[in-house]
Amino acid sequence: MSNHVIEIATQAYQDQKPGTSGLRKKVSVFQQPNYLENFIQAIYEATDKPKVLVLGGDGRFFMKEAIDRIINVLAANQILKIIIPMNGLLSTPAASCLIRSAKASGGIILTASHNPGGPDGDFGIKFNTSTGSPAPEAITEKIYERSKTITSYKSLFKKRTIDLSKYSVHTIDDTRIAVIDPIANYMEVIKDSFDFGLLKETLQQEQFKIIVDCMNGVTGPYAKHIFLEKFRCPTETVINYDPLPDFGGKHPDPNLTIAKDLVNQMKADPTIQFGIAFDGDGDRNMVLGQEGFFVSPGDALAVIADNADCIDQLSKCKGFARSFPTAPAIDRVAAKRGLVCHEVPTGWKYFGELLSVGRIQLCGEESFGLGASHCNEKDGMWACLAWLSILSKKRVGVKQLVEEHWKVYGRDYFNRYDFEECDSVKCQAMMRELETLLTGRSLVGRKFGSKEQYEVVETGNFAYTSPTGVKTPGQGLFIKFTDGSRIIVRLSGTGSSGATVRIYLNAYDKDDIGQDNETYLKELLAICYTITKLPQHIGTDKPTVIT
Ligand code: G16
């Protein structure tokens, strides 16, 4: 063993189980002695001692300190190379691109996504494999198992701090550390995805005004490069572009509740044609049209699929996918084109597998994530450029495009109701009771609603089999009705305290496409409460967030 390396004795933690996407906890949990180092050592050992790793994050509180400490552990383990973006800032999709371009063994992404930041907020670690995709459950389970029994980790005797403020190469014994430009790499990857000449031409037209809200997350530098430097848009095009450790005190979560400033700005200025907001690590996006017209994520996916011909990268599309709770609008587009649309559990890792083997080229989910085959992550900036490509080529507005889509395919009314920070024990009890009810067949054939219009056709718990035959049961309790409406209930796997219940409702209407979403779904919500007894279990029928 090198003179510089020491073995530090440590106590294993029993709570390092990754959730839907990585390990997410309060910052104070990560600040416990050796908590971070234990998990990194567990990743290193459980993933067969990777040789080259990408390391970066969304700029949230604790990231810089974490990068220094992770470098010490990885260098002490004599990893060959660590690739770090300048200032450590790396969006999750750019990380996926970088892992693939650098042929790295994987990547450690320091983010808790859309969760709040700052000293009282959340921190997180995502691990992506050499395909650029979030690690599948088989790997995260191995990491978790290792973390529970770890007794020591390796560290440098003399801790090193690397200057991340400029492009440079450093060495610590046998480890090379390259500080690189992540934006250049990302741009290289997407350079053929879109007609950038046409985009520039459109965006330079005075009447084509757009707003890009980075919510003080990691997308700011990418957005400034693309919209201000490359397309020469006016400076006010990109807002909240400085990545801040506490995201300016807000949740970096692009939805109608939290990104309401953007909605209000668009309502106040009807000359703005298109608005988009990204989350902390740049993988999620919310799209708005003139006067704040909201595009539901299921519709966004279906509209892009239907207009795939306007996007160079999608010219040879073989298949699509959506997560189980996502409204099935894209299924109808797939059917029309004679393509398959896969239905996968919540968690980008399931899309990652399908993208890796080339079965799909476009996919997305209700939680404002949309991605394509250029990388193995959802990508907010890609979605933004995809929308702008369609608007440029078709010369229509967002609202018109979506409404035309509904006229052809009908409309999926969709809402997700979140009940955050609930009592975990009560939620588990509710889920157990509901599972017993729904995996039995007692509800099938029963009619609900004022006119008994909702007849139950199927109930159960969604199970998935991956292309490699791996079975994943228990991915969402569901009630399906004869008219295509659905109620889905699951517990979130990304919260950092208590439990979050998610209820997903969707109803399909071929002709009546102009209703208010919430009004249309009101009766289905009441039926959901009757069947799940959620208000009795958790003590409220008022969701904390509706998206
Ligand atoms: C992650 C996953 C997504 C999932 C989301 C919410 O995204 O990659 O697939 O939809 O969490 O998961 P849950 O409903 O379990 O909270 P992100 O952007 O948070 O990394």
Side-chain angles (χ1 to χ4, degrees):
M1 188 179 284
S2 146
N3 287 334
H4 297 91
V5 174
I6 51 174
E7 195 92 22
I8 310 256
T10 187
Q11 195 104 38
Y13 290 89
Q14 301 304 312
D15 66 344
Q16 298 192 322
K17 186 176 172 60
T20 311
S21 189
L23 181 69
R24 281 184 204 175
K25 302 276 177 197
K26 290 270 172 225
V27 167
S28 54
V29 173
F30 273 97
Q31 285 170 326
Q32 297 175 93
N34 302 336
Y35 194 90
L36 179 74
E37 284 82 357
N38 280 13
F39 194 64
I40 299 301
Q41 185 72 38
I43 291 179
Y44 182 77
E45 291 176 16
T47 57
D48 300 328
K49 306 188 173 165
K51 292 191 170 52
V52 180
L53 282 180
V54 165
L55 171 63
D58 63 8
R60 67 179 55 230
F61 183 82
F62 192 60
M63 181 193 83
K64 286 210 163 125
E65 180 184 334
I67 288 181
D68 281 341
R69 287 167 52 182
I70 293 171
I71 291 172
N72 275 290
V73 176
L74 294 178
N77 279 287
Q78 293 167 341
I79 189 170
L80 282 185
K81 190 172 180 188
I82 310 172
I83 305 168
I84 309 184
M86 192 153 89
N87 296 318
L89 292 171
L90 188 62
S91 78
T92 293
S96 179
C97 293
L98 187 54
I99 292 167
R100 286 162 38 139
S101 333
K103 300 198 175 14
S105 329
I108 293 173
I109 312 169
L110 306 176
T111 175
S113 187
H114 57 294
N115 294 19
D120 301 323
D122 291 350
F123 191 72
I125 300 181
K126 293 183 178 181
F127 180 73
N128 285 31
T129 65
S130 59
T131 65
S133 166
E137 206 146 315
I139 294 180
T140 54
E141 267 307 300
K142 258 174 105 179
I143 297 171
Y144 174 49
E145 286 307 319
R146 184 69 196 107
S147 75
K148 286 194 290 186
T149 54
I150 200 160
T151 54
S152 69
Y153 66 86
K154 291 198 170 87
S155 180
L156 297 176
F157 179 63
K158 262 194 182 165
K159 299 250 182 341
R160 285 277 299 270
T161 300
I162 302 295
D163 179 7
L164 301 180
S165 66
K166 44 184 181 289
Y167 307 134
S168 47
V169 177
H170 310 257
T171 50
I172 303 177
D173 291 343
D174 294 335
T175 303
R176 280 181 71 214
I177 298 162
V179 182
I180 58 108
D181 177 359
I183 298 175
N185 182 74
Y186 179 71
M187 294 309 294
E188 181 59 29
V189 172
I190 62 162
K191 73 175 189 309
D192 298 323
S193 300
F194 309 102
D195 182 342
F196 279 92
L198 175 70
L199 286 174
K200 184 171 181 181
E201 214 174 279
T202 308
L203 285 161
Q204 284 190 338
Q205 289 164 15
E206 218 168 287
Q207 71 274 23
F208 198 85
K209 219 164 139 185
I210 69 164
I211 291 261
V212 177
D213 185 350
C214 303
M215 297 189 90
N216 294 118
V218 75
T219 336
Y222 300 81
K224 274 167 76 180
H225 173 74
I226 294 172
F227 293 102
L228 307 189
E229 290 165 26
K230 211 170 162 63
F231 296 152
R232 300 197 178 283
C233 295
T235 34
E236 62 271 21
T237 302
V238 184
I239 59 171
N240 300 318
Y241 51 67
D242 282 328
L244 298 176
D246 66 347
F247 305 106
K250 292 185 188 161
H251 288 210
D253 193 352
N255 62 48
L256 285 179
T257 311
I258 293 168
K260 61 177 180 309
D261 290 352
L262 175 67
V263 180
N264 291 340
Q265 192 174 342
M266 293 190 69
K267 280 189 178 151
D269 182 355
T271 68
I272 306 170
Q273 314 260 326
F274 172 84
I276 192 159
F278 305 117
D279 72 337
D281 63 332
D283 51 5
R284 300 179 177 210
N285 77 92
M286 175 182 73
V287 168
L288 301 171
Q290 246 170 333
E291 295 180 44
F293 174 83
F294 171 69
V295 185
S296 153
D299 283 336
L301 181 61
V303 167
I304 292 184
D306 199 34
N307 291 283
D309 305 345
C310 299
I311 299 158
D312 295 356
Q313 188 185 318
L314 297 183
S315 61
K316 290 188 189 109
C317 226
K318 290 195 215 133
F320 306 127
R322 65 167 168 82
S323 70
F324 174 57
T326 303
I330 189 172
D331 298 21
R332 294 180 200 99
V333 177
K336 190 173 168 196
R337 292 178 159 240
L339 299 176
V340 179
C341 183
H342 301 260
E343 195 177 45
V344 303
T346 297
W348 202 264
K349 54 198 169 215
Y350 299 104
F351 292 125
E353 268 184 298
L354 294 169
L355 286 163
S356 296
V357 296
R359 288 212 188 172
I360 59 166
Q361 282 68 40
L362 178 74
C363 50
E365 51 180 8
E366 46 66 41
S367 61
F368 297 88
L370 191 138
S373 46
H374 65 290
C375 75
N376 257 342
E377 275 285 2
K378 47 191 186 270
D379 187 346
M381 187 57 76
W382 189 94
C384 173
L385 296 171
W387 272 97
L388 293 174
S389 298
I390 298 169
L391 302 182
S392 302
K393 289 205 176 151
K394 298 199 97 170
R395 297 182 175 276
V396 288
V398 173
K399 186 167 185 256
Q400 191 190 343
L401 190 65
V402 174
E403 287 179 348
E404 289 298 327
H405 187 92
W406 292 339
K407 279 185 200 151
V408 175
Y409 292 98
R411 177 173 175 191
D412 284 274
Y413 290 93
F414 177 91
N415 261 351
R416 187 179 95 185
Y417 305 81
D418 293 343
F419 301 80
E420 298 164 309
E421 305 215 5
C422 298
D423 183 310
S424 300
V425 175
K426 288 182 182 163
C427 291
Q428 296 290 355
M430 176 184 78
M431 294 302 280
R432 272 197 305 274
E433 198 178 301
L434 194 57
E435 176 160 30
T436 308
L437 176 69
L438 299 184
T439 49
R441 293 185 47 84
S442 61
L443 282 185
V444 175
R446 277 199 45 199
K447 292 179 180 160
F448 294 87
S450 51
K451 299 182 200 126
E452 300 213 316
Q453 69 275 39
Y454 290 105
E455 181 179 344
V456 178
V457 66
E458 191 188 353
T459 60
N461 200 344
F462 178 64
Y464 174 67
T465 305
S466 80
T468 51
V470 179
K471 290 191 182 350
T472 315
Q475 295 300 306
L477 295 167
F478 65 85
I479 305 155
K480 294 182 183 172
F481 299 92
T482 45
D483 67 350
S485 307
R486 304 185 307 168
I487 296 172
I488 295 171
V489 186
R490 60 180 283 279
L491 295 183
S492 157
T494 53
S496 63
S497 55
T500 295
V501 183
R502 301 209 197 282
I503 288 181
Y504 311 82
L505 302 183
N506 87 268
Y508 172 69
D509 205 309
K510 178 80 190 79
D511 308 303
D512 190 4
I513 56 173
Q515 297 301 315
D516 169 66
N517 213 34
E518 232 154 290
T519 314
Y520 197 97
L521 294 170
K522 211 169 164 195
E523 199 162 9
L524 203 54
L525 183 62
I527 295 168
C528 170
Y529 287 162
T530 305
I531 296 176
T532 61
K533 302 199 183 78
L534 176 130
Q536 291 92 314
H537 280 286
I538 68 167
T540 180
D541 63 357
K542 303 268 175 300
T544 42
V545 183
I546 303 176
T547 50

